[in-house]
Amino acid sequence: MSAPDRRRALVLLSGGQDSATCLAWALARYAHVETIGFDYGQRHRAELDCRQRLRAGLQAMPWPGRLGPDHLLTVDVLAQLGGSAMTEEVAIAMQQDGLPNTFVPGRNLLFFTLAAALAYRRGLQVLVGGMSETDYSGYPDCRDNTLKALQVALSLGLERPLTLETPLMWIDKAGTWALAHQLGGGALVELIRRDSHTCYLGQRDRLHGWGYGCGSCPACELRAQGWTQWAEKNRPACA
Ligand code: ZN
């Protein structure tokens, strides 16, 4: 294991596959890593329970002493704004503007801004998020340029250099499983498969090959497809 980057990092850990992989990526890279999560009245609150299981599992992985405290912020204001299938019991559908109604306007901008404020208080210099332009639903706040612009705005607004890292920006879900395997082998893949949560509807009553979920919402479909693509090529070799 090479010497870690001495900067201190804060990972946006939702409890999903992407952010869990990002946490492992950060632990492999930085000497000190803290996590932040947001309770915003999401329908898939199951992901909040997954955060602690993922953190516990990652403590046991080969990056001892690097995982620092967790921070959970309550962000009621997003549900108050309303209108998203992520916070309201409405069917997932496409909106007239071409975005699915699972889009929560401003969510990632707000989360990164709150993370930056916490990073300021905690003396952390790097923010890590699982956003991706490859396998996304067209969410404009997951785009590379959005986050690069935000990095500049936050660094200026806080008068403190902040780096926003998005290790999954240009890889798809199959690539995300491959990255997890590269970072922590079969044990990390299994931890993420069982203990991360992706399903928009919050279902965890049935364990599929790719993990828990309803199997039919857009998030489950994407996760299942990526798993199958990765597993077909790699599973026999890494079991
Ligand atoms: Zn689902």
Side-chain angles (χ1 to χ4, degrees), residues 92 197-203 210 212-221:
I92 296 171
H197 184 85
T198 294
C199 178
Y200 280 157
L201 305 183
Q203 290 191 17
W210 43 268
Y212 288 98
C214 74
S216 54
C217 75
C220 280
E221 281 181 356

Side-chain angles (χ1 to χ4, degrees), residues 17-18 20-26 28-29 63 128 130 166-169 171-186 188-189 192 230 234:
Q17 177 193 349
D18 295 341
T21 308
C22 284
L23 178 53
W25 179 89
R29 193 177 183 110
W63 306 292
V128 184
T166 51
L168 312 183
M169 185 56 73
I171 62 177
D172 61 13
K173 292 283 182 206
T176 303
W177 287 116
L179 176 61
H181 191 259
Q182 187 193 323
L183 290 164
L188 180 58
V189 169
I192 294 175
W230 176 75
N234 300 281

